[in-house]
Amino acid sequence: MIDIVKFGAVGDGVTLNTEKIQAAIDAAAETGETVCVPGGVFRTGTLNLHGVSLHLEAGAVLKASEDLNDYPPQDYVHNELGVLHAMLVNLGHDNVTIDGSGTIDLSGKSFYDTSVKNVPESRVPFTQAQIDECTYPIGTRPSQCIFFHNSKNITLRGIRVIDAPCWTLSFNECENVKVIGLTIDTDRNVPNDDGIHFCSCKGVIVSDCNISSGDDCIAISGITNWGKPCEDIVITNCVLRSCSKAIVIGYIYSHIRNVTISNCIIKESNRGLCFMCNDEGALVENVRVSNMIIDTAIRAGNWWGNGEPIFMMAVKHDYHIPEEQNPHRSTDWAIRNVHIDGVTCIGENAMGIVGVGDNIREVELRNIDYTRKPSKNLALKGAAFDFAPGRTAVEVPEDCGLYIGAGADVKLENVRTRGWSVIHA
């Protein structure tokens, strides 16, 4: 291994070590060795991995700079977040491992005014406790944190990643990705500090992770390349806690297929398991979900979701996407061949399945146990489903535990809603 200290890096938490650590990485790129971060707090700006692996020893902290000037623009433009400014970047290089028992501290709160909260319009006034749950106002920040693009054979194992200013881990058009045994812990008032995004990837395993995030914990989409599917995804043995959606499959024009999710616990999340498809041009198919516990708690603020443990939406929500990004393709359905079996739901709102016409097909819910619990925040958006960023509105009847929209092809077997109605619109 190549030790960054031998290249002059100083782990005092103050010295900016970008050039020293990058020199160690560049040397490792020539020899094929792994770069070692020893015990200490090593402050740094953007590092380009160029296919080099990192090992973080016990007590090691790779600490992101608090100065935006230390994140120069990279040669990549993200469809949603614009020009890439990141801490760790790997563009077009294969065979990278980041492992160990150390920490990557992304210094997220340093890019926000934490004394102010962004309080949205509401049907009722916010209490102080509800204001405390709102986001900090979005300012200038690194647009991504740990960013992989067009890379194969990527493994992240064992490390802890904390305090992201925006998306924590982002994998884009990557293949054979493993994220195993990570702890991701971000500030729950920071907007968009999602845990892990997989965009147009193939062959992904996420297992044994503990993720607490101020936005989605795990998102599967095609945001960075609407024309390329995200497929062959396994998520298992994780504990997830989200201010928005713990697991979200699909978004706008994404094509997602072949996903299994099992043995996960979702707790204190604004929404549990979510499927999102635009009414045209999108597709989510071949999904199996089993052996889950989902517990939702509605959070005040500009978070998507409204306490739904399980929610499927196949409605128009591409209003904010530039026309040049629209792939102008058609699909015979939006959501198809989804089987959810063996899930305990404790929710502050009903479960929902809502599409347009008959664009939701072959959905099966089996062995679902649903319990409604009281909510201190349901009145903020009202007894309704949240279709953000779309404009669809569906009021949820007071006695509803599961709402199935007109035209949706849904089979139910042993679905227990404990006195709350199953309503077919």
Side-chain angles (χ1 to χ4, degrees):
M1 288 190 184
I2 291 180
D3 191 328
I4 61 173
V5 172
K6 294 182 179 179
F7 282 76
V10 179
D12 60 2
V14 178
T15 303
L16 186 66
N17 294 288
T18 310
E19 292 184 2
K20 306 298 186 183
I21 300 174
Q22 189 64 60
I25 291 170
D26 294 345
E30 296 292 329
T31 64
E33 294 178 86
T34 294
V35 167
C36 177
V37 182
V41 179
F42 295 89
R43 186 167 165 262
T44 181
T46 297
L47 299 171
N48 280 277
L49 294 178
H50 302 310
V52 169
S53 295
L54 298 179
H55 178 75
L56 280 67
E57 292 188 341
V61 179
L62 204 55
K63 170 76 169 172
S65 170
E66 302 86 354
D67 186 347
L68 192 65
N69 293 319
D70 293 326
Y71 303 89
Q74 303 298 301
D75 187 21
Y76 186 90
V77 179
H78 191 281
N79 277 343
E80 185 164 287
L81 298 172
V83 176
L84 175 63
H85 296 264
M87 178 192 173
L88 294 180
V89 180
N90 189 78
L91 305 179
H93 294 277
D94 301 337
N95 305 316
V96 174
T97 297
I98 302 176
D99 66 3
S101 54
T103 298
I104 298 177
D105 181 349
L106 297 166
S107 302
K109 289 189 293 297
S110 65
F111 299 98
Y112 293 86
D113 181 353
T114 60
S115 67
V116 180
K117 292 294 177 63
N118 184 13
V119 181
E121 293 184 4
S122 171
R123 296 158 52 120
V124 297
F126 274 53
T127 66
Q128 185 57 54
Q130 290 166 335
I131 291 173
D132 291 343
E133 294 181 352
C134 293
T135 64
Y136 308 128
I138 295 176
T140 305
R141 57 190 177 176
S143 59
Q144 307 275 271
C145 297
I146 301 171
F147 191 87
F148 291 86
H149 176 257
N150 190 27
S151 304
K152 295 180 181 179
N153 308 326
I154 308 300
T155 299
L156 276 68
R157 181 186 293 110
I159 62 171
R160 189 170 71 114
V161 187
I162 63 173
D163 196 19
C166 197
W167 295 8
T168 307
L169 303 177
S170 184
F171 300 91
N172 306 273
E173 300 182 60
C174 293
E175 188 171 336
N176 190 19
V177 177
K178 296 181 178 68
V179 181
I180 302 171
L182 260 62
T183 296
I184 298 174
D185 191 2
T186 67
D187 189 289
R188 285 169 62 83
N189 295 105
V190 169
N192 311 122
D193 64 347
D194 303 48
I196 313 173
H197 267 257
F198 298 103
C199 306
S200 302
C201 292
K202 182 176 183 178
V204 171
I205 296 174
V206 180
S207 72
D208 305 286
C209 292
N210 195 320
I211 303 174
S212 177
S213 64
D215 214 301
D216 305 336
C217 288
I218 301 173
I220 304 169
S221 77
I223 289 175
T224 52
N225 184 346
W226 299 116
K228 186 174 183 179
C230 199
E231 58 188 340
D232 306 339
I233 314 291
V234 175
I235 300 170
T236 188
N237 299 345
C238 294
V239 177
L240 309 173
R241 179 172 175 257
S242 168
C243 293
S244 189
K245 306 175 292 294
I247 300 175
V248 56
I249 304 172
Y251 179 59
I252 309 291
Y253 310 120
S254 303
H255 278 203
I256 315 297
R257 60 192 180 214
N258 307 338
V259 178
T260 68
I261 303 168
S262 63
N263 302 336
C264 292
I265 294 175
I266 294 171
K267 57 190 295 186
E268 300 174 46
S269 292
N270 205 33
R271 179 181 278 163
L273 175 64
C274 180
F275 298 74
M276 296 181 68
C277 282
N278 199 52
D279 62 333
E280 297 178 344
L283 176 64
V284 172
E285 64 177 351
N286 307 336
V287 179
R288 294 270 173 169
V289 179
S290 63
N291 199 26
M292 302 268 289
I293 295 175
I294 300 175
D295 188 346
T296 64
I298 298 172
R299 190 169 176 88
N302 288 307
W303 309 107
W304 289 359
N306 197 33
E308 309 93 342
I310 297 171
F311 190 63
M312 299 183 190
M313 55 177 272
V315 301
K316 186 174 181 61
H317 63 283
D318 63 349
Y319 300 98
H320 64 297
I321 300 297
E323 178 60 25
E324 61 270 19
Q325 288 190 26
N326 191 329
H328 295 290
R329 63 189 170 197
S330 62
T331 54
D332 294 330
W333 45 71
I335 297 174
R336 171 187 171 271
N337 194 16
V338 175
H339 298 261
I340 301 176
D341 186 355
V343 180
T344 296
C345 299
I346 305 108
E348 295 189 2
N349 199 354
M351 301 175 285
I353 301 173
V354 181
V356 175
D358 62 352
N359 68 349
I360 297 179
R361 313 299 302 160
E362 302 166 27
V363 170
E364 184 176 19
L365 305 183
R366 299 178 65 247
N367 302 316
I368 309 295
D369 189 284
Y370 168 86
T371 301
R372 187 73 171 265
K373 66 178 181 178
S375 172
K376 60 184 175 61
N377 289 337
L378 182 63
L380 299 179
K381 292 180 181 178
F385 295 129
D386 185 1
F387 289 88
R391 301 170 186 171
T392 302
V394 172
E395 293 289 327
V396 179
E398 289 185 1
D399 66 339
C400 183
L402 170 61
Y403 181 97
I404 301 173
D409 174 23
V410 181
K411 179 181 178 181
L412 305 180
E413 181 179 334
N414 196 27
V415 175
R416 300 179 298 276
T417 55
R418 300 183 182 276
W420 299 85
S421 299
V422 175
I423 295 177
H424 294 261

